[in-house]
Amino acid sequence: MESFTKVQLNDWQLSLLTAAAFGTDVQIAGSRELTAGFFNTAYDLELSDGRSVILKVAPDPETETLSYEKDIMRAEVEALRLVRAAGGVPVPEVYSYDDSLQLVPCPYFFMEKIEGQPYNEVKESLTEEQRYSIEYELGQYQRRINAIEGTAFELFGKESDGSGRSWRETFRSMLLNLLQDAVRLEARLPASQQEIEQVLELYLPALDEVTQPRLVHWDLWGGNLFVQDGVIVSIIDWERAMWGDVLLEYYFRHFESSAAFYEGYGSAFTSRNELLRKQLYDLYLDLIMLIECYSRQYKDENHVNWAHDNLAESWTRFTALVL
């Protein structure tokens, strides 16, 4: 996907960053840009010492992004290190991270290259039994991730303001910031900002049931799940990690309906309160998927039209429950 947020590094810059991370005696033997991502730029590098590594480069700090996307590379690095130290969940090793902006005007980090393929790219070629096994395993890993507890509700890697806000207050702030992004970017929404805020307020009391901050990956869709020989070998792209409600996770969204995932997770989450929270998080994700089309200046009209239609359908479902 062509995106306004993705930066391009030339060969000299790639060599400069590689030398800073691995020493001046290590050169780049081969490189290619990975084009699947929508936000950061990623390079697959073959090094002269025989290692294969991934370089991820964040947007320039001055680049137009959504509010929650500010400094999210730091969140990814800290989340990867936390989960790797905790054990029990396969994640790549972080080799180095630099947000000084001294070598290039963007934060970047090097990490281990994972063998295997993104699940979304091979899913249709797998048997029903293989898909069930992978999604059951994903449910187990998801529960282990969500078992990690935090001390405050907040986006991962952010300095805590010590306010001790509830989950309702935290998520309400996230929603309002997103709607302000929509106004700033002149995004076309299915209703006015005021109308959306009024309907959202009817849902927010359901969030009071959530009292323990838990680690949430938040973007664990098939593209961020690497598989090989029918098993999960790595979970990547932790930049949107946060301390929040486990029902924010992607496989709880309306795009997925995996019985294997729920079985692996060990809970169906079918109470009225849980269903209301799922609906609220569905709308939140659908709002993001539309509004980011404006910040990233996507040129693919089919995708932009899909995002508008998807949000319109989501808003219809959402309001039907409360109006």
Side-chain angles (χ1 to χ4, degrees):
M1 176 76 74
E2 181 181 351
S3 173
F4 180 72
T5 62
K6 297 176 75 172
V7 301
Q8 300 296 315
L9 300 185
N10 57 39
D11 290 342
W12 179 81
Q13 290 172 313
L14 292 176
S15 297
L16 182 67
L17 301 190
T18 299
F22 301 104
T24 55
D25 58 332
V26 177
Q27 287 82 44
I28 296 175
S31 68
R32 67 185 179 95
E33 182 182 348
L34 302 176
T35 58
F38 302 136
F39 186 71
N40 297 310
T41 309
Y43 295 93
D44 181 351
L45 304 180
E46 301 291 333
L47 305 184
S48 59
D49 63 4
R51 279 183 292 182
S52 297
V53 301
I54 301 298
L55 167 64
K56 290 189 70 171
V57 186
D60 183 302
E62 299 303 317
T63 299
E64 181 81 80
T65 65
L66 300 185
S67 299
Y68 83 92
E69 293 175 320
K70 296 297 184 184
D71 202 26
I72 60 174
M73 179 164 281
R74 176 186 297 277
E76 177 168 20
V77 170
E78 293 187 8
L80 280 169
R81 288 172 170 166
L82 172 68
V83 174
R84 189 173 179 87
V89 177
V91 296
E93 180 182 356
V94 174
Y95 295 133
S96 67
Y97 169 58
D98 184 359
D99 62 352
S100 69
L101 311 184
Q102 293 181 350
L103 299 180
V104 291
C106 309
Y108 67 91
F109 76 96
F110 286 91
M111 70 177 183
E112 173 187 8
K113 179 182 177 180
I114 301 301
E115 299 302 324
Q117 296 173 290
Y119 182 48
N120 67 311
E121 294 183 6
V122 300
K123 182 176 180 178
E124 296 306 315
S125 67
L126 301 177
T127 66
E128 183 176 345
E129 291 77 14
Q130 288 173 317
R131 293 196 297 270
Y132 193 95
S133 177
I134 289 170
E135 292 172 18
Y136 180 91
E137 187 181 22
L138 174 60
Q140 293 180 311
Y141 282 136
Q142 187 75 85
R143 185 165 188 129
R144 291 176 194 171
I145 292 167
N146 299 150
I148 299 174
E149 297 181 352
T151 58
F153 293 109
E154 58 195 347
L155 293 172
F156 202 89
K158 305 294 185 185
E159 293 291 336
S160 177
D161 60 8
S163 64
R165 293 189 301 175
S166 68
W167 175 235
R168 188 210 289 211
E169 294 168 325
T170 301
F171 190 72
R172 183 177 185 275
S173 177
M174 292 165 58
L175 280 167
L176 294 181
N177 286 340
L178 182 62
L179 292 176
Q180 285 299 314
D181 287 336
V183 172
R184 173 172 52 85
L185 296 165
E186 299 182 349
R188 178 165 53 87
L189 301 181
S192 68
Q193 178 186 4
Q194 181 179 12
E195 181 180 356
I196 293 174
E197 289 181 12
Q198 289 175 343
V199 175
L200 288 171
E201 290 292 341
L202 301 177
Y203 274 80
L204 294 181
L207 304 187
D208 291 338
E209 188 172 285
V210 183
T211 57
Q212 174 60 58
R214 295 187 178 274
L215 180 61
V216 176
H217 182 291
W218 192 20
D219 196 24
L220 218 178
W221 67 293
N224 291 332
L225 183 69
F226 271 57
V227 299
Q228 187 176 45
D229 299 327
V231 298
I232 296 170
V233 294
S234 190
I235 293 171
I236 66 168
D237 282 6
W238 292 76
E239 59 202 4
R240 287 164 178 77
M242 66 177 303
W243 298 108
D245 181 0
V246 303
L247 291 182
L248 275 167
E249 297 289 16
Y250 180 82
Y251 260 73
F252 297 128
R253 302 285 59 76
H254 65 90
F255 298 112
E256 300 290 346
S257 58
S258 173
F261 172 83
Y262 280 96
E263 184 178 349
Y265 197 97
S267 179
F269 296 107
T270 56
S271 73
R272 174 168 172 75
N273 183 286
E274 290 162 344
L275 293 175
L276 286 173
R277 283 151 52 201
K278 286 184 186 180
Q279 287 278 349
L280 180 57
Y281 305 149
D282 279 348
L283 181 67
Y284 182 57
L285 178 59
D286 293 333
L287 279 165
I288 288 176
M289 295 175 75
L290 182 280
I291 298 168
E292 71 184 14
C293 290
Y294 291 81
S295 62
R296 300 180 186 181
Q297 300 180 25
Y298 288 156
K299 304 302 181 185
D300 185 342
E301 292 186 6
N302 289 331
H303 178 81
V304 174
N305 290 336
W306 172 86
H308 276 288
D309 292 343
N310 176 65
L311 178 57
E313 294 170 6
S314 183
W315 178 246
T316 298
R317 290 193 301 271
F318 191 76
T319 54
L321 292 179
V322 294
L323 297 180

